[in-house]
Amino acid sequence: MSEIVDRIRRDWKENDAKRDAGLVTPDCIERHDNIPYGSDANWQKLDIYRPKEAKGKIPVIVNVHGGAWVYGDKELYQFYCMDLARRGFALVNFTYRLCPEFQFPAQIQDTDLVFRFVASHANEYGLDTDRLFAVGDSAGAHLLGLYLCARANPDYAKLFPFEIEHTLDVKAAALNCGIYDVRSPEKIPDKDLTGILKELLPQGGTRDELEMISVTPHISPELPPLYVMTSTDDFLKDQAPPLVQKLCDANVPVTFRLYAAEGRKGKLYHTFHEDIRRQVAIECNDDECMFFHNNGN
């Protein structure tokens, strides 16, 4: 395993632990933990969180976590996802196979398996698949963007060595602080990501591979409405406007938000919305859940 991966897993875990210190499962949330969705018991597991007072089937959000393709799991995202669940949703929070242990497209295949799980277990867990949404941040926004493109674009879907789930209809999705175009690695602002791409991709990042794992060239008019957000001090903020323009050109309904720090003081960094006690995170997460409710019919 590379020094980059070791450093990211060590340093990011330490910072995320500080962010979530003291958080516990809210009394209003019921949780179903460590449910297998695939054959790999070490990686392919998910949690489902629901408001305790909710009866019957309720709207569903599938969360695709971030972490530069090499870091993160459902445990890291449990408090963020339970916070979204408090707003009236069932949250499906899953761990997928990471790089370098597994190369692309294992991460997309795991995402597809989770959607298949939702389709086949909707009655068991009270999941209203007629009101199905998704969120992803950072590398998770990238993976979710690719997966949505594969669902909407049959020609793109043919590039994957497995069949994409097609019975469900994703009503809307939110892409948060993501990376969407890696065709020019020299333009990626973080060189760690450039190095990781070489480990993520089976052939080390050929031109064809970088084209395949870029979201923007595969945009289709059949994509669902998208909420695209970034922040003033997100190191990936320049990735969002070209994606939004491409979506507009394809007549995909899109809402774009650039969030700033409270009172316009201080900094608002990458994936700020996961710091659920911060007022601007509350505002962002409220906005996105309202976006889902408005697109749920």
Side-chain angles (χ1 to χ4, degrees):
M1 192 176 301
S2 71
E3 183 276 334
I4 295 174
V5 174
D6 284 339
R7 174 164 45 80
I8 286 176
R9 290 181 176 178
R10 179 186 66 248
D11 294 348
W12 291 15
K13 183 177 182 179
E14 180 179 344
N15 290 333
D16 289 333
K18 291 177 181 177
R19 180 198 64 203
D20 291 343
L23 292 176
V24 297
T25 298
D27 290 338
C28 63
I29 295 296
E30 68 176 24
R31 34 188 314 165
H32 306 270
D33 294 342
N34 297 316
I35 306 166
Y37 68 85
S39 59
D40 190 327
N42 292 322
W43 294 88
Q44 294 170 326
K45 298 178 292 185
L46 60 80
D47 296 346
I48 297 174
Y49 316 126
R50 289 173 48 102
K52 285 182 179 178
E53 73 277 7
K55 305 299 181 184
K57 291 185 177 181
I58 61 174
V60 189
I61 300 175
V62 175
N63 176 67
V64 186
H65 74 73
W69 308 290
V70 302
Y71 167 74
D73 54 28
K74 63 184 180 64
E75 281 69 36
L76 175 65
Y77 278 72
Q78 62 180 315
F79 299 114
Y80 163 68
C81 286
M82 287 189 289
D83 192 58
L84 295 184
R86 292 193 308 105
R87 293 166 166 87
F89 296 88
L91 259 293
V92 179
N93 174 31
F94 70 101
T95 296
Y96 56 80
R97 289 172 290 172
L98 296 175
C99 164
E101 289 88 347
F102 299 92
Q103 292 181 307
F104 187 87
Q107 302 75 22
I108 301 295
Q109 185 172 33
D110 286 357
T111 303
D112 188 72
L113 287 172
V114 169
F115 277 85
R116 292 178 182 275
F117 176 95
V118 169
S120 60
H121 292 81
N123 291 333
E124 182 178 355
Y125 294 102
L127 310 178
D128 185 353
T129 55
D130 290 330
R131 292 180 290 171
L132 174 62
F133 310 100
V135 295
D137 68 276
S138 193
H142 168 255
L143 294 172
L144 177 57
L146 294 179
Y147 183 64
L148 293 173
C149 286
R151 294 178 65 88
N153 184 339
D155 289 336
Y156 181 52
K158 292 176 183 177
L159 300 179
F160 291 90
F162 49 86
E163 185 177 352
I164 299 293
E165 198 285 329
H166 62 276
T167 64
L168 296 175
D169 180 19
V170 179
K171 292 293 187 179
L175 305 178
N176 300 320
C177 302
I179 183 167
Y180 309 110
D181 195 335
V182 299
R183 289 175 292 179
S184 300
E186 70 278 2
K187 295 182 180 179
I188 297 174
D190 189 317
K191 297 308 175 187
D192 283 352
L193 297 183
T194 304
I196 291 170
L197 284 172
K198 296 178 180 179
E199 299 190 59
L200 177 68
L201 297 167
Q203 298 180 49
T206 65
R207 179 177 297 181
D208 287 345
E209 285 181 318
L210 296 176
E211 175 84 13
M212 180 179 180
I213 69 162
S214 290
V215 177
T216 46
H218 305 296
I219 296 297
S220 164
E222 285 71 35
L223 281 166
L226 295 176
Y227 192 103
V228 179
M229 82 81 172
T230 184
S231 59
T232 49
D233 303 288
D234 177 10
F235 75 101
L236 291 176
K237 68 179 181 181
D238 291 339
Q239 286 273 321
L243 173 71
V244 171
Q245 184 60 58
K246 188 79 171 184
L247 292 168
C248 291
D249 292 343
N251 294 315
V252 176
V254 58
T255 297
F256 175 54
R257 285 292 304 273
L258 174 69
Y259 288 87
E262 302 94 328
R264 301 188 181 278
K265 295 181 181 179
K267 300 286 187 179
L268 196 64
Y269 292 109
H270 188 61
T271 65
F272 69 91
H273 64 299
E274 296 165 25
D275 190 357
I276 60 173
R277 290 174 283 201
R278 192 170 181 178
Q279 183 57 44
V280 68
I282 295 171
E283 174 190 344
C284 175
N285 295 332
D286 281 346
D287 291 342
E288 294 192 354
C289 287
M290 183 58 65
F291 177 78
F292 293 151
H293 282 304
N294 289 342
N295 283 279
N297 297 324

